[in-house]
Amino acid sequence: MASESADPLPHAPESQYTHTLPLPFTNSDLAVLTQGAEALVYRTTFLTPHTPCVLKYRPPKPYRHPILDKRLTKARLLAEARVLVKCRREGVKVPAVLGGDWEMGWLVLEWIEGRTVRKVLDEWVHRLGLRARDGRDVVDLADEVVQRDEGEMRRLLGLMGRVGRAVGRLHEVGVCHGDLTTSNLMVRPPGDLQEPGPERTEDDLEGEIVLIDFGLATQTIHEEDRAVDLYVLERAFAATHPAAEHLFQEVLRVYGESFKGAKVVLKRLADVRLRGRKRTMIG
Amino acid sequence: MAKVRTINLPHYTAYPVHICMFKDVKNAAFLRKQLLEANPEFDYAFLDPTMILTPQHILSATLLSLHLHLTSRAKTRTPHSELVFRLHPNNNIGESYRKFGISDDSDRIIAVKLSLTPEITNESVGQHLGSVVEGESVDVGEGVENVGMWCDVEKVKKVYKLDSNGGKGREGGTAVNGNAPTNERKEMEAVMSGVITLKGS
């Protein structure tokens, strides 16, 4: 797994500093952006000095047999790159593949400006000051605050709708993400104003949804895989904040209308909720 | 003396890339003959400008060619032939030359030269090409932004199998289509760099 947006593990098996980057990055002195279980993610430039990009490097695993390690690294990088190119062809918003070398274990992807849905939601929660102080249910409190600010709610639901549509489009073209969390959904600021710029508070709910981290993605049209994608996302919403959980209904509503097979997936989601992500395999 | 622009690819700054463009070229047949005879004096990538869409397009193929050459994994004999080969999504060298290389009657040319040794400089390339190419040198621009100015977008779409509808059309299709030309090229180059990267795998 390569959750590039996941928090760095407190007891990561290998320190990021012990790795020598492969050619041509060996002498580039790059700082690690995040670290997943299998990949190290750096920010750098590629092709031109003003093209920011993400470098994803899967270092060799010392605990694996070298031949097996090479094969797995190659297969996983290739799968990720193929899925991204496929999505891009079909107009699904994902980072472009700018370069890569499977033998050496690196992949260079387009830099996506903006912040993660996770961050946007966290900040929203923080902004509303949703604290269950006098023992009241936070969800009730959220509804109350939300009703006071209709505009904010409308924009928030708009964002949820765009999440639903983005996931729907992805599933429609025959791809399941495999690790669909709020950290793997980016909100890209609208227009050409994609400079990191000063803190934006007013319009940070605007912008299009870009899906990132396809390290676990598969090309599949099974409703089970699609339902599991939604289930994982639902859990991610629930984990963010109790108040964010009910927002997920809007994600599902728009998802359900986004493509032909979506309704069946929502039915399957109900089954997945009962049993969890892992299916019992009997017989 | 031809107007040559020199680009430093990030992470491969030790190997600058020299690019120049010509129009009203009269001796394409001669240049092509030198390539076929593998004349070491003429170790360039001569490209058909109608097949080059954007700087990113040409640079992603250039960087991969250089990288494969330096790590001894190139499929062709020189990094310059590798560049022509890398541009085509298929694994056929002859086909790559037919599509992306020059023909006997080409009157516009993009020439790319990699500095693998320090003797090859902006001046040396400009002098040599200025003396052997019978044509008018055209400025490529500081960031080689003009490489795509003679592009035949429909031809490029065909080779990279980019449907003008962005695949199956529908929602995403409108993003690819119907937008300003620069946006369309941006969407196209995003897929094309991926295709070039995935070539042969």
Side-chain angles (χ1 to χ4, degrees), chain A residues 108-127:
Chain A
V108 174
L109 306 173
E110 176 191 5
W111 179 263
I112 303 296
E113 212 49 78
R115 45 183 82 190
T116 63
V117 167
R118 155 133 212 196
K119 192 140 191 272
V120 170
L121 285 178
D122 280 349
E123 282 166 3
W124 171 73
V125 167
H126 181 78
R127 206 158 55 234

Side-chain angles (χ1 to χ4, degrees), chain B residues 31-200:
Chain B
L31 297 170
R32 200 168 151 264
K33 190 156 166 274
Q34 306 310 308
L35 287 182
L36 292 174
E37 290 171 359
N39 182 346
E41 293 284 297
F42 285 78
D43 191 10
Y44 290 96
F46 289 123
L47 304 173
D48 176 357
T50 64
M51 290 304 295
I52 300 298
L53 186 77
T54 57
Q56 184 184 307
H57 177 208
I58 194 169
L59 292 179
S60 63
T62 307
L63 185 126
L64 280 177
S65 314
L66 180 64
H67 177 64
L68 291 171
H69 172 77
L70 293 172
T71 52
S72 314
R73 287 174 297 162
K75 292 266 161 55
T76 61
R77 286 194 307 113
T78 78
H80 299 101
S81 52
E82 190 72 12
L83 168 54
V84 183
F85 174 60
R86 282 285 137 202
L87 280 165
H88 202 291
N90 293 349
N91 254 330
N92 184 320
I93 298 175
E95 176 68 12
S96 305
Y97 266 93
R98 269 192 296 282
K99 272 280 176 312
F100 289 89
I102 54 170
S103 59
D104 284 346
D105 53 2
S106 296
D107 65 343
R108 287 172 172 175
I109 287 178
I110 296 177
V112 183
K113 177 78 176 175
L114 295 161
S115 277
L116 294 168
T117 55
E119 298 90 72
I120 294 166
T121 62
N122 184 294
E123 288 74 36
S124 78
V125 172
Q127 228 140 47
H128 184 241
L129 284 179
S131 65
V132 296
V133 178
E134 291 170 27
E136 189 185 328
S137 167
V138 177
D139 188 15
V140 194
E142 204 175 334
V144 300
E145 58 272 14
N146 298 338
V147 282
M149 67 179 167
W150 294 324
C151 183
D152 181 339
V153 178
E154 290 309 312
K155 245 169 81 183
V156 171
K157 272 186 192 163
K158 222 172 141 191
V159 170
Y160 288 92
K161 301 195 172 69
L162 307 171
D163 301 337
S164 48
N165 246 350
K168 307 271 144 50
R170 274 188 282 269
E171 272 180 74
T174 52
V176 178
N177 225 2
N179 268 339
T182 44
N183 248 337
E184 187 190 19
R185 287 196 185 206
K186 277 244 160 294
E187 268 313 302
M188 285 175 68
E189 72 175 7
V191 178
M192 286 155 61
S193 320
V195 171
I196 289 170
T197 305
L198 278 170
K199 178 197 170 90

Side-chain angles (χ1 to χ4, degrees), chain A residues 4 53 64 142 147 216 283:
Chain A
E4 53 198 10
C53 72
R64 278 203 296 241
Q147 273 161 16
L216 288 173

Side-chain angles (χ1 to χ4, degrees), chain A residues 212-223:
Chain A
I212 60 164
D213 189 4
F214 283 70
L216 288 173
T218 45
Q219 305 203 27
T220 158
I221 52 163
H222 291 131
E223 60 209 46

Side-chain angles (χ1 to χ4, degrees), chain A residues 176-192:
Chain A
C176 282
H177 185 282
D179 185 22
L180 203 55
T181 64
T182 45
S183 303
N184 286 336
L185 296 164
M186 298 285 292
V187 185
R188 178 159 57 191
D192 292 328

